[in-house]
Amino acid sequence: MATAHVSGPVSGATTMSSPPEADPRLVACPTCGAPNAGSRTACGRCHGGLADGPAGASGVAEEDPGAEGDAERPSNLLIAMTAIAVLAGVAVLVALLSARGVGPFATDAGDVLGDAELASIAAVRASSERRPSDDMSYVAEHVADGDTSTAWVAEDGGEPWIELELVDVAEVTGLVLWNGNQADDAFARHDRVAALRIETDERAFEVDLLDSRGPLAIDLPEPVAASRVRLVVEEVFSGDEVPGPALSRVVVRVLPEG
């Protein structure tokens, strides 16, 4: 910043003394460029020495609280913005880890099911079942046994389906399912369901699923009276080794009776 000057007093002897006038000059700090009063010996912003300022009697730099406050405000704002950005990044990371079911960020079944009323299942049928291998069976009944370490695995190809028959007709409000084969390290090896068609007695709904471990909640747009719920696999996420879509568990949420 340019330095502004006004003409100084005329030199020469005087017969009367008068109080010194305040120096009206603005002196640019050679370090940070901030304007300072000409009477200062040090910059009010960065505290660097002002070459054009007169030497003070004590040699101690004069402090300008206003200028220092102006310098601190941008710094505080930057700190606050940085903190907000860090918190936002942490929130995104936690959400991603939760979706992937990683470690302590895995979604708990109780958080999803809550106190929802669950339908009693009378029977489970499927379009196909993969043959047992390595002492593991992949029958349809596994989706209703309450154990997420077992899974139904369909034969590869077409649009395989699995159907849950309810003990009584109920007002179905949604599903909670555990996608893929969630037994130990089997999740990545098996195909997982990417898109489903949910068929009831009179209505059908389509839904896309997350490729993640843990329970996934599916809410229907409105309760539907049904005696059965069929899940038709329309698309899959490909696994590393075992073809054919897998589901580990399915529960049907219904409205309480009465």
Side-chain angles (χ1 to χ4, degrees):
M1 177 180 293
T3 303
H5 295 277
V6 296
S7 58
V10 178
S11 61
T14 58
T15 57
M16 296 180 61
S17 62
S18 59
E21 296 181 357
D23 191 339
R25 293 182 305 156
L26 294 178
V27 180
C29 173
T31 301
C32 70
N36 290 266
S39 60
R40 294 180 60 86
T41 60
C43 177
R45 176 173 295 177
C46 70
H47 305 295
L50 299 175
D52 293 338
S58 65
V60 178
E62 177 186 352
E63 294 186 3
D64 185 345
E68 185 174 354
D70 290 342
E72 289 178 352
R73 276 192 289 271
S75 176
N76 292 339
L77 179 60
L78 179 60
I79 293 174
M81 293 178 65
T82 302
I84 292 172
V86 170
L87 291 175
V90 170
V92 171
L93 178 61
V94 170
L96 290 174
L97 291 174
S98 297
R100 296 298 298 176
V102 177
F105 300 103
T107 304
D108 183 74
D111 295 337
V112 176
L113 293 176
D115 56 357
E117 186 85 9
L118 305 182
S120 298
I121 306 302
V124 182
R125 294 177 287 272
S127 58
S128 63
E129 298 170 347
R130 185 176 178 82
R131 293 180 179 178
S133 62
D134 300 327
D135 297 326
M136 293 293 294
S137 66
Y138 303 114
V139 296
E141 287 80 3
H142 284 332
V143 301
D145 64 7
D147 184 0
T148 57
S149 66
T150 62
W152 164 67
V153 180
E155 293 289 348
D156 190 27
E159 289 190 346
W161 54 263
I162 188 165
E163 182 176 282
L164 291 83
E165 180 183 340
L166 310 187
V167 171
D168 298 303
V169 176
E171 294 287 326
V172 176
T173 62
L175 307 172
V176 178
L177 58 82
W178 284 252
N179 200 359
N181 187 345
Q182 306 216 3
D184 298 329
D185 62 346
F187 187 80
R189 294 191 292 108
H190 285 260
D191 289 355
R192 286 86 59 192
V193 180
L196 274 179
R197 185 170 70 253
I198 302 171
E199 298 179 351
T200 63
D201 297 22
E202 298 179 354
R203 301 279 301 276
F205 309 89
E206 294 188 340
V207 62
D208 295 328
L209 300 182
L210 293 175
D211 187 15
S212 65
R213 301 181 72 107
L216 301 174
I218 302 171
D219 295 320
L220 300 186
E222 59 185 5
V224 177
S227 62
R228 66 176 182 86
V229 176
R230 175 177 289 193
L231 309 180
V232 182
V233 180
E234 296 185 321
E235 296 179 20
V236 300
F237 298 109
S238 297
D240 298 334
E241 299 176 18
V242 185
L247 287 172
S248 291
R249 187 185 177 195
V250 179
V251 296
V252 180
R253 296 189 300 185
V254 296
L255 291 178
E257 293 184 1

